[in-house]
Each structure stands twice: as structure tokens, then as C-alpha cells.
Amino acid sequence: MNFIFLGPPGAGKGTLAAKVAEAYNIPHISTGDIFRDNIKRQTPLGVKVKAIIDSGSLVSDEITCELVKDRLSKDDTKKGFILDGFPRTIPQAEALEKFSKIDAAVNFDIADEAVVERLSGRRVCKSCGANYHIKFTKPAVEGKCDKCGGELYTRDDDQPESIKHRLVVYREQTAPLIDFYRNKGNLTDVDARPAAEKVLEEFKAKFPQK
């Protein structure tokens, strides 16, 4: 099946996408990964994207769609795929329809207050990048990484004011996609509040493997 994952920052889309990709044996495709891969391989589009990012500008819908179209043409997507971070806007969704069929848009539903609690409590290791949470996944020693002993810190975009701003941007730009796909009859809501394993169970129940 071809999936689009929707939901606000902090809904756990990336974590779930990785688990679903493994369980269903389909690739998890994020636009960030596509950008990085093309830049690393120095493809013509990658060179263009690097120049745009280096200048501080946003990559246009046209270039983003070209990169996604190219990625979806690869052999590993024949059994299905998960798109995470694309489309972000209605024009991108309309462009996607011209080169790919989407079976289900999955909306990982979670209240803003839960997102703020989830993200503001996140702590990241400065050395190895491991993630912890002051409430849900505490390190054995406060402020120290269990894996490498590195110092844990709060990312700038995990500060409460920054999270609230990201949620405003999401509601304005990306949330209209929920109505777009609901009107097409292929939107499915999944409760993103429980632990990842519980959310995966609900996902599997709603999308049984053939």
C-alpha cells in the first residue's frame, strides 16, 4: 500500500514510519532524506537544492515534487511506500496525484498540549544523538546519556515557545491536507497519544497486510 503520514510535530510519525516500514517491508521516504541523498550524490537536482538551502531559501514545490517523483520511480517502492513530510501543502498534494496513487493518508491525531509535553521534555545527547524524555524515558543518571555518557540537552526547537510556533505553522499550512484527503475518502485517523507499540497495533488493525 502507498501511505502518506500526516500529523503535527511530536506526533511520532518518524518513529511509527520506521516501525511500519519494517513490518510491511516497504520504504519510509522522508523529503529530508531525499534532499540529503541527492546532495550527497551531487545529482543535478541535489546541486540545485544545496545552493537553495545554502542561500537560506526554501526549496520550491516544483523541485521538491521532482525529487519525490524520482524517488518513487525506484524499484523498492513497487510493493508500497510511506511518504513522511510530503506533501506539506495542497498544491504539493495536487501535484503528487499526477504521478502517484495514494491508498491511504494516515492522520496521527494528538492534542497540542500533549505535543508540548512530549517535545519540551525531550533531551538529546550532545555526543551520540540518543533521545530521552524527562517523564517517559529517563536516563539512569540525570543529564547523562546511558549509551555513551555524553551530556544531555534541550534542542532550541524543543523549547515551549518554539513548539507552539511550529504547531501554529503546521495548523496553517499542513492541517488543510487532512480535509483534502478526508474529502477524497481515503483519510484514516490513528490515535497518536499511546506508546509507539500501541499505535503500531492500531495501525496494523486498520491496515491488515494482504
Side-chain angles (χ1 to χ4, degrees):
M1 288 186 79
N2 300 341
F3 296 105
I4 289 172
F5 279 11
L6 301 171
K13 296 188 300 298
T15 302
L16 258 297
K19 290 181 180 295
V20 171
E22 184 180 357
Y24 287 62
N25 194 27
I26 56 176
H28 166 210
I29 300 168
S30 82
T31 43
D33 289 344
I34 296 174
F35 288 170
R36 283 186 287 274
D37 177 58
N38 276 268
I39 290 168
K40 185 180 175 184
R41 291 189 292 117
Q42 295 186 329
T43 66
L45 277 171
V47 171
K48 200 179 285 189
V49 167
K50 187 175 188 304
I52 292 166
I53 292 172
D54 286 349
S55 73
S57 302
L58 292 172
V59 180
S60 70
D61 281 357
E62 184 182 0
I63 292 174
T64 303
C65 289
E66 277 300 310
L67 286 165
V68 172
K69 183 179 180 181
D70 174 69
R71 179 64 184 86
L72 295 184
S73 70
K74 305 292 188 250
D75 286 345
D76 66 342
T77 66
K78 284 186 167 47
K79 285 172 56 182
F81 55 79
I82 301 160
L83 275 177
D84 174 17
F86 181 91
R88 286 187 184 276
T89 61
I90 300 295
Q92 286 185 357
E94 291 170 341
L96 175 62
E97 287 188 324
K98 294 173 182 172
F99 60 83
S100 184
K101 176 182 176 289
I102 298 302
D103 296 305
V106 185
N107 175 39
F108 291 95
D109 192 27
I110 185 168
D112 287 1
E113 300 77 41
V115 168
V116 173
E117 179 187 40
R118 189 178 278 186
L119 292 183
S120 63
R122 182 163 60 182
R123 300 292 182 267
V124 182
C125 175
K126 282 185 176 178
S127 301
C128 72
N131 280 284
Y132 297 88
H133 194 280
I134 58 172
K135 185 174 179 181
F136 307 122
T137 48
K138 296 179 181 179
V141 178
E142 188 176 344
K144 295 286 183 186
C145 176
D146 292 348
K147 296 176 181 176
C148 72
E151 182 187 348
L152 303 184
Y153 77 107
T154 304
R155 291 178 358 186
D156 288 344
D157 59 354
D158 283 343
Q159 299 291 349
E161 286 311 309
S162 179
I163 297 165
K164 287 171 186 172
H165 174 70
R166 288 163 68 195
L167 286 168
V168 168
V169 171
Y170 170 77
R171 299 294 176 209
E172 287 175 353
Q173 294 182 356
T174 312
L177 285 169
I178 294 168
D179 289 334
F180 178 85
Y181 286 108
R182 200 184 298 281
N183 291 337
K184 288 185 175 294
N186 61 352
L187 184 97
T188 299
D189 291 308
V190 170
D191 184 2
R193 290 172 300 173
E197 292 303 329
K198 284 281 184 192
V199 182
L200 181 62
E201 282 177 25
E202 184 185 347
F203 184 94
K204 285 180 172 178
K206 290 185 173 179
F207 299 103
Q209 290 176 272
K210 295 171 184 174

